[in-house]
Amino acid sequence: MEESMRKRLEATKVRCEEIDAELASSEISNDIQKLTSLSKERAGLDTAYQKYLRYLKLEADLEDAILLISESDDEMAAMLKEERKAMEAEMANLEETLKVDLIPVDPNDSKNIIVEIRGAVGGDEANIFAGDLLRMYARYAENMGWKLQFLDGVEGSSGGYSSVSFMVKGENVYSKLKFESGAHRVQRVPKTEASGRIHTSTATVLVMPEAEEVDVQINPADLKIDTYRSQGAGGQNVNKTESAVRITHIPTGLVVSCQTEKAQLQNKEICMRMIRAKVHDYYQSQQDAAIANERKLKVGTGERSEKIRTYNYPQNRVTDHRIGFTVNQLDRIMEGELDSVIDALVHFDQEQKMLEEAAK
């Protein structure tokens, strides 16, 4: 094991032992906030800690085995050599997985997300594609055992959505879907195309981690809150009271709206969750842009105008342009079987982070 890696693991071991000592003290039970913070930190370190303890035991056992081999008869030496090979193989495997475990954890990985999809270039076909993407993510969420909550949407005149927002709740949702932000391009023959020509259209996807009040401070004076009557397709009034809510964050110009609930208070609560996420993402994006030169590949540049993926229907092909990944399973992917694409993105991101850590 490289010395730099061992030093980091030793530091992890020391920190875990310090936290265990603090958690065992009688004073901690009176400080719920600190207890929660330490427990979360300890849980985040535990995987690497346990693997490192196992590695240290194997290392000691291996030294003993090497010593015994030189002192044993042929039959015993042969058996010890087999044990030595098994221990060395396990140590090598532990070392590889520990490289991943030592990658700095994105603090947003465990959070729920708010997703915004908009039809972009391509008119009605772009809106239809936006609806297809919504269905794809809904199926994926269902496969993962997550819960999808529709927040707001403006239906397209020919189907789909010109814009749609939804929340996905579950375990480590952001860690899986955080790379979906960007321009998604579709190549296919639209239903409205009589001549059978293939059209290219795009829809944009924005994935934001749900932001708590402690994550972003919003001054109530910076918010403009409007209420209006909820409307259904075609402008038909579906609510005689002004239950729909629109919130504008004046400093950034960001706007959210919700009319899915019957009560104005519920729609306002949803809007507040949405505006917190959008404001947090807005300022986070500015920070990311400021350090973009330090990290050239964060699985793409992070620019949402960037074409990140193409869905080619005639060839049943999906290509993620950021990592050069192509799979001829578009039909299955549109049914929510996104694992191959998402796993490739996560693996690539881990490799880039490991390279960065090694270069430090």
Side-chain angles (χ1 to χ4, degrees), residues 295 297-300 322-323 343-353:
R295 187 177 182 202
L297 269 174
K298 191 180 68 176
V299 183
R322 296 164 293 182
I323 60 175
D343 289 348
L345 287 163
V346 170
H347 181 68
F348 182 82
D349 187 57
Q350 289 176 342
E351 286 184 335
Q352 296 304 305
K353 287 178 177 176

Side-chain angles (χ1 to χ4, degrees), residues 174-189:
Y174 186 72
S175 70
K176 293 288 187 180
L177 292 177
K178 61 184 175 182
F179 302 121
E180 294 301 297
S181 290
H184 294 239
R185 180 175 72 172
V186 62
Q187 296 174 325
R188 65 185 178 188
V189 179

Side-chain angles (χ1 to χ4, degrees), residues 307-327:
K307 175 189 67 183
I308 66 167
R309 192 176 299 152
T310 294
Y311 304 73
N312 185 296
Y313 275 73
Q315 298 179 22
N316 196 38
R317 185 185 73 231
V318 174
T319 298
D320 195 289
H321 303 287
R322 296 164 293 182
I323 60 175
F325 178 83
T326 297
V327 60

Side-chain angles (χ1 to χ4, degrees), residues 26-39:
S26 57
E27 294 84 2
I28 194 69
S29 58
N30 298 321
D31 191 339
I32 301 301
Q33 187 174 358
K34 187 175 182 181
L35 176 63
T36 302
S37 176
L38 286 173
S39 297

Side-chain angles (χ1 to χ4, degrees), residues 112-113 115 141 146-149 166-170 173 177:
N112 299 326
I113 61 171
V115 184
W146 298 335
K147 180 182 178 182
L148 187 143
Q149 178 186 1
F166 57 95
M167 175 177 279
V168 184
K169 302 177 182 179
V173 176
L177 292 177

Side-chain angles (χ1 to χ4, degrees), residues 92-112:
N93 182 62
L94 282 171
E95 194 169 337
E96 285 302 310
T97 59
L98 278 166
K99 289 178 182 178
V100 176
D101 295 332
L102 286 175
I103 294 173
V105 177
D106 185 335
N108 293 320
D109 275 354
S110 61
K111 292 185 177 180
N112 299 326

Side-chain angles (χ1 to χ4, degrees), residues 82-251:
E82 288 300 315
E83 290 183 6
R84 174 182 175 178
K85 286 181 182 179
M87 285 187 285
E88 288 175 337
E90 186 178 351
M91 288 173 69
N93 182 62
L94 282 171
E95 194 169 337
E96 285 302 310
T97 59
L98 278 166
K99 289 178 182 178
V100 176
D101 295 332
L102 286 175
I103 294 173
V105 177
D106 185 335
N108 293 320
D109 275 354
S110 61
K111 292 185 177 180
N112 299 326
I113 61 171
I114 292 175
V115 184
E116 198 175 80
I117 304 176
R118 294 181 178 273
V121 179
D124 289 340
E125 172 64 6
N127 294 341
I128 292 170
F129 181 50
D132 294 339
L133 291 176
L134 168 62
R135 181 176 178 275
M136 178 184 77
Y137 291 126
R139 290 292 182 91
Y140 180 67
E142 183 181 354
N143 293 341
M144 295 295 292
W146 298 335
K147 180 182 178 182
L148 187 143
Q149 178 186 1
F150 185 89
L151 298 179
D152 193 38
V154 178
E155 295 183 4
S157 58
S158 298
Y161 292 90
S162 61
S163 67
V164 61
S165 300
F166 57 95
M167 175 177 279
V168 184
K169 302 177 182 179
E171 185 176 354
N172 296 321
V173 176
Y174 186 72
S175 70
K176 293 288 187 180
L177 292 177
K178 61 184 175 182
F179 302 121
E180 294 301 297
S181 290
H184 294 239
R185 180 175 72 172
V186 62
Q187 296 174 325
R188 65 185 178 188
V189 179
K191 295 176 182 177
T192 55
E193 175 58 55
S195 64
R197 291 188 302 115
I198 295 174
H199 284 227
T200 298
S201 305
T202 59
T204 59
V205 176
L206 172 59
V207 177
M208 301 167 285
E210 184 181 16
E212 304 295 336
E213 290 187 42
V214 294
D215 297 323
V216 55
Q217 299 296 322
I218 296 179
N219 187 340
D222 290 337
L223 299 178
K224 179 176 181 288
I225 302 176
D226 300 306
T227 59
Y228 57 98
R229 291 184 179 182
S230 298
Q231 294 184 330
Q236 179 184 1
N237 287 334
V238 294
N239 194 331
K240 295 182 179 180
T241 61
E242 293 191 343
S243 61
V245 177
R246 181 188 301 110
I247 296 181
T248 303
H249 184 249
I250 298 170

